[in-house]
Amino acid sequence: KHQLRGRGGCYKHTHYGITSYQCMEATPSLACANKCVFCWRHHKNPVGREWRWKTDEPKMIVEEAVKMHVDMIKETRGIPGIQMDRWAEAHKVRHCALSLVGEPI
């Protein structure tokens, strides 16, 4: 959200020149138990020791992830300081940061 307001980007922007507001963050696993205070996830994460859930098709996962990312970007419209040119660009995902099972601290 910072870069949508014209402020600095995340580490991906700093180190790799990636436009943060066009980077989708996602995870194929909700089984992360870290519950970090800086985590981008906006929900409680279940903890599991075995896989008991059905598996979705990869194409559907990507399509839905992009759709949900765009929906989240749309929700930022009207937030004070949002630069509308960046807001419009943010609707096109150019990168994806995958958290596989949570990051070590």
Side-chain angles (χ1 to χ4, degrees), residues 29-48 99 101-105:
S29 173
L30 296 178
C32 178
N34 291 337
K35 306 211 187 297
C36 303
V37 296
F38 50 82
C39 184
W40 55 268
R41 296 171 180 94
H42 294 292
H43 55 275
K44 294 181 181 178
N45 302 321
V47 176
S99 299
V101 291
E103 277 51 89
I105 297 177

Side-chain angles (χ1 to χ4, degrees), residues 28 51 53-62 64:
W51 191 260
W53 303 276
K54 72 176 188 168
T55 304
D56 296 317
E57 291 297 318
K59 183 176 181 181
M60 188 277 297
I61 293 171
V62 172
E64 288 297 313

Side-chain angles (χ1 to χ4, degrees), residues 4-53:
L4 283 172
R5 294 181 179 136
R7 300 178 190 161
C10 70
Y11 75 91
K12 295 177 291 272
H13 175 66
T14 303
H15 297 290
Y16 309 110
I18 291 173
T19 306
S20 299
Y21 57 84
Q22 288 182 295
C23 183
M24 174 177 70
E25 294 176 312
T27 180
S29 173
L30 296 178
C32 178
N34 291 337
K35 306 211 187 297
C36 303
V37 296
F38 50 82
C39 184
W40 55 268
R41 296 171 180 94
H42 294 292
H43 55 275
K44 294 181 181 178
N45 302 321
V47 176
R49 294 177 186 230
E50 63 186 48
W51 191 260
R52 303 179 316 215
W53 303 276

Side-chain angles (χ1 to χ4, degrees), residues 25 83 86 95:
E25 294 176 312
Q83 295 181 6
R86 291 183 177 198
H95 308 278

Side-chain angles (χ1 to χ4, degrees), residues 56-100:
D56 296 317
E57 291 297 318
K59 183 176 181 181
M60 188 277 297
I61 293 171
V62 172
E63 288 172 351
E64 288 297 313
V66 170
K67 180 185 174 297
M68 294 173 107
H69 170 80
V70 170
D71 288 347
M72 285 176 29
I73 295 298
K74 287 179 180 177
E75 290 176 7
T76 64
R77 185 180 184 118
I79 293 177
I82 295 291
Q83 295 181 6
M84 292 310 293
D85 58 330
R86 291 183 177 198
W87 182 86
E89 289 176 0
H91 287 75
K92 181 178 181 182
V93 175
R94 296 188 65 208
H95 308 278
C96 182
L98 288 176
S99 299
L100 298 179

